[in-house]
Amino acid sequence: MKNRLLYLSSVLSAQLLSAEAQTELPLQDAAFEIRVVADKLSDPWELTNGPDNHLWVTESKGYRVLRIDPASGKKQVLADLNKERKFPRFDKVAKKDGGIPWPQGGLMGMALHPSLLTGKPFVYLAYIYDYKGNPGNVNGGQSGGGHKFLQRIVRYTYDPQKAKLIQPVILCDTIPASNDHNGGRLLIAPVNDKHYLFLSIGDMGAGQFSNGARQNKAQNQYSYEGKVLRFNLEADEDDLKENQWIPNDNPFNASGQNAVWSTGHRNPQGLTYAEINGVERIYAVEHGPYSDDEVNLIEKGSNYGHPLVVGYDDGNYNGLAASVSDKEDYPGVWNTSYPLIKDEKANARQIGAPYRNPVTSFYPTGNKLLTELYQNIKKGGERQEWQSFAPSSVEVYQSEAIPGWKNSLLIPTLKGSRLIRVKLDNNGKVANSNVYEYVRGQVRYRDVAVSNDGLKLYLAVDSSAVSSGPSKADPMQVSYRGCILELTYKSETAHSYNGTKENPASYPPSLETLLSFERKNM
């Protein structure tokens, strides 16, 4: 395994490792024993530690909901939603004219009602159910307008005796979806002492790759693209059925019921809630384009800038756009439907009071290097790589079990293949620039959950090596895939490894090293 954070394909890519693109990765501060709880899963996506001390899992491509005993690994299939999927396994069917891509995700988010076992046995699921593209065009796309799918949210009732999810009720089935940037994370969190259901939605990849000419609607408060949405957990008494699941005090209801809670998001794949010193906080993580992955505090009616501001409003994307391509028939200076960002600070001022900077941004790269990267891509140069984490989820660790970890964000990554930890301060903001890393490996970590005692972490691992969106999967290069891993805290000195920060051949300990160590010492 190469001892670099990323595999870089050109001199320009290597330059992105300079001081203009640094995110500090200090020594890890905890050691873990690790084992595989369950494997042979079809891209586990949502991983939740349920009130029954079992792991609840969705399979994004398998379209199943599983309940797994973390001690034995025994699986129960609570629901099989393949019959609800009105399109074939595009990733498996014979390709014609290049084929239609699988949507990013599939069966994605899941949220368990806080009273699941005490009177409200409800489980909420978000999944893509229909394809609305144009199979007559090459790849089914819309001449650069992308691949259009539909997503729905459904509430099921959990029957513990039969171990099944029954009685589906559709909350909303008009949510746009795409082959790229679907978000898809569900969260139940309180607002003013009442619990609601939140769903993160990406911008459909509008402006990049096969969606390069598709109009981006992240700033349009009447579109569900590039948003965080809020729904009721139970239907209210509104006259129209389609309005009964939308809270009457949502921020953009003036012209009609609207599920939008916040705007200006790119691809928020992680949502979580925590109360920090008496203050309720909702955190989201989302992917940046070529830098500036974000951690955001989600607030009612707020605007997070995309595609007018990338990361902080620090000007590093001035003169650029949120993407670039070599497709000369696509619009704009950078061959993309994304608007030209003349000045990030001016854009933030124009958005006004609703604008929010992220609480932290990973790998904010300088304007000079970004401009060189854009120019190279526009000219059709070699495929470039850049430093980023591609955060896939987020959880707030609030236990005292691991010393120094209380009130930390745990963020699994798709790129860079590691679990990272960021410490919060007493106000729930990021305390400092330290980013701690754990269990790096040749995998894509999709989700993280914490055991009730705080001594165990669970990680969901993708079945493929790269994105299910615009990239091709290469599962043969993944060391441990389609599985759930259990990390058990053993203290700072649990094991001794060869390797130091200066000579990182096995530092921090890789996933492969940890699993090998445990097998030899069972």
Side-chain angles (χ1 to χ4, degrees):
M1 180 185 294
K2 295 183 180 180
N3 302 325
R4 300 295 296 270
L5 179 61
L6 299 171
Y7 301 120
L8 303 177
S9 62
S10 70
V11 174
L12 177 59
S13 297
Q15 289 176 343
L16 293 178
L17 290 171
S18 74
E20 285 192 271
Q22 288 183 349
T23 286
E24 182 68 16
L25 289 169
L27 301 181
Q28 67 164 14
D29 58 351
F32 297 91
E33 289 182 353
I34 188 168
R35 70 182 181 93
V36 177
V37 173
D39 60 4
K40 299 179 181 179
L41 306 179
S42 181
D43 284 282
W45 208 92
E46 176 70 37
L47 173 62
T48 297
N49 181 36
D52 54 358
N53 294 315
H54 279 62
L55 301 175
W56 293 58
V57 177
T58 63
E59 293 180 305
S60 66
K61 291 186 178 178
Y63 270 69
R64 300 189 305 171
V65 180
L66 307 177
R67 179 175 176 268
I68 301 175
D69 182 345
S72 67
K74 181 181 178 181
K75 309 183 192 77
Q76 293 177 312
V77 179
L78 300 181
D80 186 331
L81 303 183
N82 278 282
K83 291 183 178 179
E84 303 299 321
R85 174 171 49 83
K86 299 178 182 179
F87 54 90
R89 282 291 300 266
F90 289 135
D91 58 322
K92 290 187 174 183
V93 299
K95 301 288 190 277
K96 181 181 179 181
D97 294 328
I100 299 170
W102 181 261
Q104 189 174 76
L107 170 56
M108 298 176 290
M110 173 175 57
L112 311 183
H113 196 286
S115 301
L116 178 75
L117 303 181
T118 55
K120 300 285 186 182
F122 301 134
V123 176
Y124 302 82
L125 300 174
Y127 62 89
I128 297 169
Y129 72 95
D130 204 1
Y131 176 67
K132 294 297 182 183
N134 183 359
N137 285 352
V138 175
N139 297 328
Q142 305 286 329
S143 300
H147 300 270
K148 296 179 173 60
F149 293 81
L150 280 175
Q151 181 180 175
R152 62 166 51 132
I153 303 175
V154 183
R155 189 189 75 182
Y156 284 82
T157 297
Y158 173 51
D159 185 333
Q161 282 70 43
K162 296 180 180 179
K164 294 295 180 184
L165 298 183
I166 60 174
Q167 300 173 354
V169 177
I170 296 174
L171 279 66
C172 183
D173 62 1
T174 59
I175 299 170
S178 172
N179 67 308
D180 203 11
H181 291 191
N182 286 324
R185 194 67 64 181
L186 281 177
L187 169 72
I188 294 176
V191 177
N192 298 327
D193 298 323
K194 182 178 178 180
H195 283 81
Y196 296 90
L197 180 70
F198 295 85
L199 173 68
S200 64
I201 298 290
D203 70 350
M204 311 291 104
Q208 68 174 29
F209 303 117
S210 61
N211 298 279
R214 181 173 180 169
Q215 182 185 3
N216 193 282
K217 300 178 181 178
Q219 288 293 320
N220 181 350
Q221 66 191 37
Y222 300 108
S223 167
Y224 284 178
E225 300 178 16
K227 306 297 189 297
V228 171
L229 309 180
R230 186 178 72 149
F231 296 90
N232 291 320
L233 291 183
E234 298 183 58
D236 63 24
E237 298 180 354
D238 286 356
D239 293 335
L240 296 178
K241 185 177 180 180
E242 60 266 29
N243 291 340
Q244 292 175 354
W245 293 97
I246 298 177
N248 293 325
D249 61 344
N250 269 4
F252 303 105
N253 279 354
S255 298
Q257 297 285 74
N258 186 339
V260 172
W261 182 252
S262 63
T263 65
H265 298 284
R266 184 174 181 269
N267 192 18
Q269 291 195 5
L271 277 179
T272 195
Y273 163 84
E275 184 177 313
I276 308 293
N277 288 328
V279 179
E280 297 176 344
R281 300 289 196 185
I282 293 177
Y283 297 91
V285 294
E286 58 185 284
H287 300 192
Y290 300 99
S291 65
D292 295 80
D293 295 330
E294 297 180 3
V295 178
N296 288 305
L297 275 173
I298 303 302
E299 299 173 342
K300 179 179 181 179
S302 293
N303 187 319
Y304 296 85
H306 178 72
L308 304 176
V309 181
V310 179
Y312 305 116
D313 59 342
D314 54 5
N316 65 331
Y317 274 78
N318 287 358
L320 304 174
S323 188
V324 59
S325 79
D326 60 358
K327 307 290 187 183
E328 294 184 359
D329 57 332
Y330 285 5
V333 175
W334 296 107
N335 300 333
T336 171
S337 63
Y338 281 127
L340 180 68
I341 301 173
K342 294 182 180 180
D343 187 308
E344 287 188 303
K345 286 189 178 297
N347 288 347
R349 288 194 299 269
Q350 185 174 0
I351 292 171
Y355 175 74
R356 297 290 185 274
N357 266 320
V359 293
T360 194
S361 180
F362 300 119
Y363 295 117
T365 303
N367 180 262
K368 180 180 178 182
L369 294 180
L370 285 171
T371 301
E372 291 175 359
L373 174 66
Y374 272 49
Q375 290 171 342
N376 190 276
I377 294 174
K378 184 178 179 180
K379 293 175 182 177
E382 288 186 28
R383 176 174 174 80
Q384 306 298 309
E385 293 289 345
W386 49 87
Q387 280 196 325
S388 65
F389 284 131
S392 57
S393 185
V394 61
E395 187 68 58
V396 181
Y397 185 90
Q398 293 193 283
S399 172
E400 303 274 6
I402 302 179
W405 276 41
K406 185 175 181 180
N407 293 341
S408 291
L409 297 179
L410 303 181
I411 304 172
T413 73
L414 301 175
K415 194 173 182 180
S417 306
R418 64 202 67 213
L419 175 70
I420 62 174
R421 183 175 72 84
V422 178
K423 183 69 174 176
L424 299 174
D425 63 19
N426 291 333
N427 296 315
K429 306 292 183 65
V430 172
N432 52 54
S433 62
N434 289 346
V435 180
Y436 298 87
E437 62 170 337
Y438 309 90
V439 287
R440 58 179 171 82
Q442 298 181 60
V443 297
R444 289 164 57 85
Y445 292 120
R446 179 59 62 177
D447 200 6
V448 61
V450 181
S451 65
N452 293 335
D453 62 8
L455 291 173
K456 293 181 172 64
L457 309 179
Y458 296 96
L459 286 169
V461 180
D462 275 8
S463 300
S464 57
V466 293
S467 170
S468 60
S471 306
K472 293 182 179 180
D474 187 9
M476 296 306 294
Q477 294 186 11
V478 181
S479 51
Y480 294 89
R481 60 184 184 271
C483 67
I484 305 298
L485 301 177
E486 179 186 79
L487 282 64
T488 302
Y489 173 69
K490 289 298 179 184
S491 85
E492 292 79 359
T493 58
H495 304 311
S496 177
Y497 300 96
N498 294 323
T500 65
K501 190 176 183 181
E502 290 71 30
N503 180 27
S506 60
Y507 179 84
S510 69
L511 171 63
E512 294 78 17
T513 299
L514 285 165
L515 285 168
S516 175
F517 187 96
E518 295 308 321
R519 282 196 295 270
K520 291 177 181 177
N521 292 275
M522 288 180 63

